[in-house]
Amino acid sequence: MAITPRFDLEGKTVLVTGASRGIGRACALACAGSGADVIVGVRGLADGAALAAEIEGLGRRAVAVELDLADLATVRGAVGAAVAAFGRIDVLVNNVGVGPENLAENVTEEDFDFTVGINLKGTFFTTQAVGRLMIARRSGRIVNISSQAGTVTLKGEAIYCMTKAAINHLTRCLAAEWAQYGIAVNSVAPTFIWTDGTRPSLSDPTFHAAVLGHIPLGRIGDPIDVAGTVVFLASPAASLITGANILVDGGWSVA
């Protein structure tokens, strides 16, 4: 029996959705840096090609595939292209998520359908497509990027919070169903993270101070904070973990 846990991803092939920026980009690079070949799932292939080239510069294989969770045909196409390129998908990182902000009384049907369509429908059917391959191979890891919003309440984010709570429970349901096939399913729930999307809000001193007031560890997260947890859950070191939701929130949920 090994006495030292393995935290690397040597020999693994990882598909990261929404990999062009922010948390998805950090996850793709962290997986490559840990030894994995990476399928870069993006809506714009130009951005994906640049990231794939960066990953290849790290000595790993990479391919960019068009993947838009609002268009399930691209999901099926992306999974097929990934298998054609690498023969299998060992790890799926479901990173894509949207959250248009609006007070509950002002949410429109369009807002609702868009958020639920991407965060739940798109995530589920991406997972199903990859899960079928993993079931056939009787092996796999799935890591869903959830949010602290699935555990705590955020004003103006009722629909987003609802979808992330659903992702947490979907994680548990799939973990229970697919354990028999050797598939582990977990989720990672970040707090506010410095990304291109959050930077305008977090750069406002008042908003920044309000956010920090909820985080006992006293700082906004960086994408690598999330990526490190993803790599751990995908690695051999986490081989007995499934159905877990790991909060990367600096203590927000327990404060």
Side-chain angles (χ1 to χ4, degrees), residues 141-153:
R141 300 285 179 88
I142 297 168
V143 183
N144 296 319
I145 303 301
S146 180
S147 168
Q148 67 178 16
T151 302
V152 303
T153 61

Side-chain angles (χ1 to χ4, degrees), residues 2 50 54 78 105 123 174-176 179 202 215 252:
E54 188 172 350
E105 63 268 29
T123 296
L174 294 180
L202 291 174
I215 302 177
W252 183 312

Side-chain angles (χ1 to χ4, degrees), residues 189-255:
T191 186
F192 285 89
I193 302 295
W194 285 108
T195 66
D196 291 342
T198 62
R199 194 168 302 279
S201 296
L202 291 174
S203 295
D204 176 77
T206 301
F207 183 78
H208 187 275
V211 169
L212 285 185
H214 289 283
I215 302 177
L217 286 181
R219 71 174 177 88
I220 307 299
D222 292 311
I224 194 65
D225 294 315
V226 184
T229 309
V230 169
V231 170
F232 164 65
L233 289 172
S235 76
S239 62
L240 200 60
I241 300 175
T242 195
N245 178 49
I246 298 181
L247 284 149
V248 183
D249 69 348
W252 183 312
S253 59
V254 297

